[in-house]
Amino acid sequence: MRELKLMKGNEAIAEAAIRYGVDGYFGYPITPQSEVMETLMAMRPWETTGMVVLQAESEVASINMLYGGAGSGKRVMTSSSSPGISLMQEGISYIAGAELPCVIVNVVRGGPGLGTIQPSQSDYFQAVKGGGHGDYKLIVLAPSSVQEMVDFVGLAFDLAFKYRNPAMILSDGVIGQMMEKVEFDEYKPRWTREEIIAKNPWAATGKPPTRERNIITSLHLQAVDQEKQNIKLQAKYKEIQEKEVRYETYLCDDAEYLIVAFGSSARISKKSVEIAREKGIKVGLLRPITLFPFPYKEIGAYTDQVKGILTVEMNAGQMVEDVRLAVEGKVKVEHYGRMGGMISSPDEVENALEELIIGG
Amino acid sequence: MRELKLMKGNEAIAEAAIRYGVDGYFGYPITPQSEVMETLMAMRPWETTGMVVLQAESEVASINMLYGGAGSGKRVMTSSSSPGISLMQEGISYIAGAELPCVIVNVVRGGPGLGTIQPSQSDYFQAVKGGGHGDYKLIVLAPSSVQEMVDFVGLAFDLAFKYRNPAMILSDGVIGQMMEKVEFDEYKPRWTREEIIAKNPWAATGKPPTRERNIITSLHLQAVDQEKQNIKLQAKYKEIQEKEVRYETYLCDDAEYLIVAFGSSARISKKSVEIAREKGIKVGLLRPITLFPFPYKEIGAYTDQVKGILTVEMNAGQMVEDVRLAVEGKVKVEHYGRMGGMISSPDEVENALEELIIGG
Amino acid sequence: MIDIKDIVKPENLVFKKSRVLTDNPMHYCPGCSHGVVHNLIAEIIEEMDIQDNVIGVAPVGCSVLAYNYIDIDWHEAAHGRAPALATGIKRLMPEKFVFTYQGDGDLAAIGTAETIHACNRGENITIVFINNGIYGMTGGQMAPTTLEGMVASTCPSGREHARDGYPIKITELLAQLPGTCYVTRQAVHTAGSVRKTKKALRKAFENQTRNRGTSIVEVVSTCNSGWKMSPVKANDWMVENMFPFYPLGDLKDE
Amino acid sequence: MIDIKDIVKPENLVFKKSRVLTDNPMHYCPGCSHGVVHNLIAEIIEEMDIQDNVIGVAPVGCSVLAYNYIDIDWHEAAHGRAPALATGIKRLMPEKFVFTYQGDGDLAAIGTAETIHACNRGENITIVFINNGIYGMTGGQMAPTTLEGMVASTCPSGREHARDGYPIKITELLAQLPGTCYVTRQAVHTAGSVRKTKKALRKAFENQTRNRGTSIVEVVSTCNSGWKMSPVKANDWMVENMFPFYPLGDLKDE
Amino acid sequence: MKEEIIIAGFGGQGVLSMGKILAYSGVMQGMEVSWMPSYGPEMRGGTANVTVILSDEPISSPILHEFDTAIILNQQSMDKFEKAVKPGGTLIYDGNGITHHPSRKDINIYRVDATAEAVKMRSVKTFNMIVLGAYLKLKNIVDMENVLKGLKKSLPERHHHLIPMNEKAILRGGEIIQEISVVE
Amino acid sequence: MKEEIIIAGFGGQGVLSMGKILAYSGVMQGMEVSWMPSYGPEMRGGTANVTVILSDEPISSPILHEFDTAIILNQQSMDKFEKAVKPGGTLIYDGNGITHHPSRKDINIYRVDATAEAVKMRSVKTFNMIVLGAYLKLKNIVDMENVLKGLKKSLPERHHHLIPMNEKAILRGGEIIQEISVVE
Amino acid sequence: MGKVRGAIVVDTERCKGCGLCVVACPTDTIVLADEVNGKGYHYAKMGNPEACNGCTNCAMVCPDSCITVYRLKPEKSK
Amino acid sequence: MGKVRGAIVVDTERCKGCGLCVVACPTDTIVLADEVNGKGYHYAKMGNPEACNGCTNCAMVCPDSCITVYRLKPEKSK
Ligand SMILES: Cc1ncc(C[n+]2csc(CCOP(=O)(O)OP(=O)(O)O)c2C)c(N)n1
Ligand SMILES: Cc1ncc(C[n+]2csc(CCOP(=O)(O)OP(=O)(O)O)c2C)c(N)n1
Ligand code: SF4
Ligand code: SF4
Ligand code: SF4
Ligand code: SF4
Ligand code: SF4
Ligand code: SF4
Ligand SMILES: [Mg+2]
Ligand SMILES: [Mg+2]
């Protein structure tokens, strides 16, 4: 039986990590996500599952501890919020270049700079286009409930290991701080040493006489080797784009208009859809769950059906570019968003739909 | 009379900085741009113009020295290459949030991770979409000759101060390492203390009794204040988008096809245009000089004229998204690029044009 | 009997809030040491008459809002990077007094490299270091200077060195760098200690006129919120537990 | 007379390249100290019979390609971050021998915070620190350990402390952290010094079985390319100039 | 059934935990719930508030701009949230420290002097339970049995001995709530 | 007029500075020039090469895949660049250390034993000037006067006393170049 | 010569009732009020005004600069 | 009892001619060849083979592990 609790997103993701058999967490405090590490430290998983929890001296250190840990073939995770994630960009690029699986949680707050600690979605570009240098992609999952904070821990690790690619859970202050009912699976045992070696033959676990040495690296001094690596990476990203798109629709079947929104904006937009429907406006909600891979095709398919699309984001308009790329000018696409920690009300969104899309 | 020299891009940008009256340079060695600081150290501008040159302990320190220096209302500059620029993302976001002018040079190399030191353009997304957190924009200039490395120092500073916004010169290993003829202007004097205070009344230069204290900050604890700041920033970016687009065209008047390329890819593509023209293919080249603001409208205007657009980039396809956003599905847009430090030959590009656009 | 009214007269004034402090009420928790140190800095600026010639750098931490209270030009810094900012500022404006105001998480964790290298270069700045053994702003997590056994939200059963590392005496390390000229550790829990800290701060600021290198004043402080004690109790706890590990006094004065 | 042939026989073998070294020719410049230290590490791994149980972490620097030469599992690190990687690795696999192999730019500039905090936590790892007083890989820029007056491409008229800061004795600082158990400074310019360094490295690796904290072996090295001297000249210059400032010997052995 | 509540007061008044107990009670009753605090502001002191939603159906937005009920525990919160009560909704407040009493005519207003009562009961810590009791008396959306279960779930094991005291406070709250003005 | 040249050899053979002097000579002659080195590879030793373009018109791409002339100074470079000479183009090489001599029939091949000559002239450092002299003898694209100006411009002031020695080496290069096979 | 007399004026609205002045006062002059100020704090006040000698200790340790101190020069005191 | 005799074998293709072995050899056994190897380096070789006592100093300081050392046990030497 699944266990029912009332929990904050940040607490839930911590407990989910322990239950999923994560091997290590490395992090540094920052609002609005400090409860992740606090919960782990309070639960003392090193006494139960054997999970390691360590407070690093900075986010730069955290991400590089993750880099080391991931190279061991173990399940490792960090969490932070926007400024801390910016500090991790070099490390993230290395991890992506070395093709290591790991999970990075960003509980986004408003920027730029020190900004505010209130919720935001303004790190979309950073997460999906690559905030670090070089051509790489993270697998990006956007939870919109505390339950998904829990469920996506497992999903993120599964995808990360399947593709040997870092995965990011792009959450925000709303999901991190709110409490909801949440159900947990039973504890899963951590992988044994033998399982790790069997599943991750590439891992640097000590070179036995039976194999060549394993080298975890992102370095390819010669351009021709680097290009080969880039081609390999791009092929992988293409495969992910083809196979791993996840999204959810709500009242889209007869929709004449579409709202596209992720994470907590999608929750708010759901209510806006209800308000609009009450007014007789046929609008549906498409919620991308994976931000990379983005549901380009799936959104593109609606261009025959709908007359306009509104993206709702807590930022100045970021995902809207991907939606525009998806529809290729076939229908009107507009963006509505509050910024800097302000959160739209469902009514505002509904108004925006009427003004920008239906009326506009 | 302008002075004529034969110089590497990296050397030229250093000399240009001194001549333009830059006040401070802070940097950390990394290939392929270490000559910037080496040239400055060899030229000892502190003995002539009074410019400060300091080797920082890291790129994190460099960008934060820049943050401090920029807050003084002075002209400050740093340079690095891809991994180093990734480390600067938090600082860049702060500088953008605090609305400070400064110039950051990225001599891009192939990534992700440690990658290769060979030239690349794979930091386009990072530069224009925001590698750091929060909604912000850099003014991004892409030189395609050593002369432009020189000229864009002045342009970048002028735009940076005009809009109180960090500007990036997005170069690459080709432009940084190649020598070409280059002409320099006369030395300009550095701003005097009085000029600085007059031009930059916001600068933290010590609070006289005659004004309120100046506070350089990106912090807005209350969401409503942060949103105000974000709205202000977005208005500024919009103004920049409207007023500061710069690009160059080559043989576009009668073009049936268009190549869009920036930086050193544009040089190569120019030759490809010539090759294609010799074959009787009517192709032109549009070279965005400002990557933000991107010439969306200007490229969009060609959709009535051309049958297809090829973007040529030394990456897996980044600027191509902006070109697609510009044309809104009206003409076919494809990307051609080598990666990881490999450089297309003009013939390859010309072939790609025939295959992907004309034939495809 | 003398009436209070007879005493409370302008000519009898012996102590009032510095005019370099603004009237904004401070956001700090009741009893927070930050406020006391703010006052001292304001007083010194007033006494040295350098209000128009000083620039403060406040990184993230409870005191990032110091700019609301001390009436001078300020620069916010990213967490840990104040010494780098101060380097940029001071190198470009060597005639200004430049100081950083850093917490222990800031100076001794994320900003370790920037702090050590600014000191090693002997940047001619003043570093004010508020060591309250905890991350105040983010709600009481373990800091690099948290004592062994001390409870924080990320070491809820007390710091254990095997897991969490040792409390770091960063000031002792900085004192060994040839770039530092004055390194001292003080406190502000009694009037006497406040007086000493003020002297130390004054010297640390005055050193900038002599271009002797970096001056550092550590103030062993309380964070009663993070420590989950009353302000008075926190002072006692500090005397009993922090002082033995972080003994007060000059570490270097050249 | 004995013929060479009579001597060169398997039974007379007294020294050969460790089998833990691969056959790849090293990319290092002629005479580079990195090669000597690589050999020693390979020999120790062979002698301790831990080839299947050791993980090396090599950050950017000339030795980032160490993985081509020492035949063990390796992990590349970002510039300065090897101690953080090693922390991640060792915490998750405490049964493995984990070492970092860092240059002076790496360990003492960009990686200052990671190095100090790994040592302060007493991570049970071995740090091999190649101090050649310069940034070798990027072509000879000033390092934090570059001596005063020493020429590098970013201090072409010699390091001046007023502009460039002082050379930093980071090893002395690390020795003071309670987390370190063994801190020593060695060299590899003569057969005798090579023998001593080997002993030191062996102890530093063996310490991991005793979980005593961090062991650090600094090797004062040459970078004849960066120094623009012949390898032989570079050794002499090192003895004359580096050793007085970075004296050899144990700084801590607990 | 759906009830959207804001509880607002000083940090330290137990606003968040009151909301949590209420939310947990809803869970025990088999309802959907959400609890969303005002967090931060990475600074000390100041006000705190929490939005609690109890509903029979899945909750879309945990963040609201108007409420069925506002429970208001200081003047700053009164200034901010009186106007956020839906017409016909309910406002409950503690009179302590309130200088501008609520004046809307289109909402139901109740007062519970929990601060004073807590002092009387010599257990300042149960202040928030008195308020909760007042609310529960008024809005009968969760059964007492489930409230006690919720209380138990949200208190750490080591504080379970405090449950009887809290129960008493909840009941007391129900007794002392006063109607100020009610819209018919 | 346009001449696209690659000069390739060991690091340390003065490949880059030979290219720089050639390019500077072009500048002195009023031509457009570009000089693009193989840089890095953030590691020591290995080979070095530089692409120099001299042209009457603006230069589009500084990076080429085939060349009018290849000047080849070691075996590795021979393996890499013999095939990159345009048909009808020119290959000049130093025979020292070359085990596989160039064999193409569609290009002009010349040999200049500059290593040997430099040893003879007791000035190993002028090796690259001998090679340059050989090239200039063959391809008369820049006047000697401008070459000397270029030399002066590219040497730091403190090395100007070396100019006469270098001039001698350039002239000597012109004398010792041997034709191996020439396409008519 | 009479005893030195002092007095303090507390900015009661700024005061956060931390009690540090109470402890710092050598003469036990200060107490925290039973009433609270607008922010809900039991502010500091002179409980025993005669005792104050104007030593300024309280003001120096006050984190919120709430205290102004006056001292009557002994020669002026009667 | 005869003098200890040794000999070294240099992997001349790996050798980079750095000369460190030459300096390290206590018996001046090693010289750099006039010829160069495939990479252009003047490789090390025994110039004075009789002098070698097999002390391994040269091998220990060689950065490129080019040197293998053999030693004839004294009792075996004639
Ligand atoms: C890059 C980054 N990481 C983390 C944070 C969150 N943060 C803000 S202040 C702080 C630490 C505060 O502790 P300290 O420096 O000791 O100052 P105090 O509040 O105790 O005075 C942290 C971790 C941040 N703002 N930026
Ligand atoms: C973030 C980052 N900054 C800079 C560099 C460039 N870089 C590579 S190695 C190095 C320093 C090498 O010096 P050191 O650590 O002393 O090693 P050595 O080569 O001397 O052995 C630098 C600056 C980089 N790769 N990454
Ligand atoms: S949290 Fe601590 S440091 Fe911050 S204001 Fe409160 S008492 Fe002061
Ligand atoms: S540059 Fe220096 S450290 Fe690097 S390989 Fe050459 S000699 Fe060694
Ligand atoms: S020290 Fe200041 S804030 Fe604290 S109680 Fe006394 S007057 Fe009030
Ligand atoms: S001035 Fe001195 S005696 Fe008077 S109240 Fe303050 S501390 Fe007490
Ligand atoms: S030390 Fe090694 S590489 Fe150097 S010359 Fe001797 S054998 Fe050759
Ligand atoms: S073994 Fe000893 S004696 Fe023989 S060559 Fe080597 S160093 Fe010289
Ligand atoms: Mg602190
Ligand atoms: Mg080095």
Side-chain angles (χ1 to χ4, degrees), chain G residues 6 12 19 67 69 72 78:
Chain G
T12 50
I67 304 180
V69 185
L72 207 56
K78 302 161 220 170

Side-chain angles (χ1 to χ4, degrees), chain D residues 228-249:
Chain D
K228 306 204 185 309
M229 295 175 193
S230 74
V232 172
K233 182 80 214 304
N235 269 346
D236 295 347
W237 195 91
M238 171 176 74
V239 172
E240 231 168 89
N241 298 279
M242 298 278 279
F243 288 180
F245 193 80
Y246 300 113
L248 306 191

Side-chain angles (χ1 to χ4, degrees), chain A residues 129-182:
Chain A
K129 303 292 172 193
H133 60 286
D135 283 296
Y136 71 88
K137 293 277 178 203
L138 303 178
I139 296 167
V140 183
L141 303 175
S144 80
S145 65
V146 175
Q147 186 65 53
E148 282 188 341
M149 285 288 257
V150 168
D151 298 342
F152 287 3
V153 169
L155 178 60
F157 272 109
D158 291 351
L159 291 172
F161 273 87
K162 180 166 173 195
Y163 293 101
R164 282 189 61 183
N165 206 69
M168 176 174 276
I169 298 180
L170 190 74
S171 178
D172 62 54
V174 175
I175 311 292
Q177 290 295 328
M178 80 184 290
M179 287 203 200
E180 282 189 310
K181 277 203 299 201
V182 58

Side-chain angles (χ1 to χ4, degrees), chain D residues 14, chain H residues 6-8 21-22 24-30 46 49 51-59 67-70:
Chain D
V14 286
Chain H
I8 63 169
C21 55
V22 176
C25 175
T27 64
D28 289 332
T29 301
I30 314 180
M46 285 201 284
C52 177
N53 62 16
C55 70
T56 77
N57 281 10
C58 54
I67 304 180
T68 311
V69 185
Y70 298 85

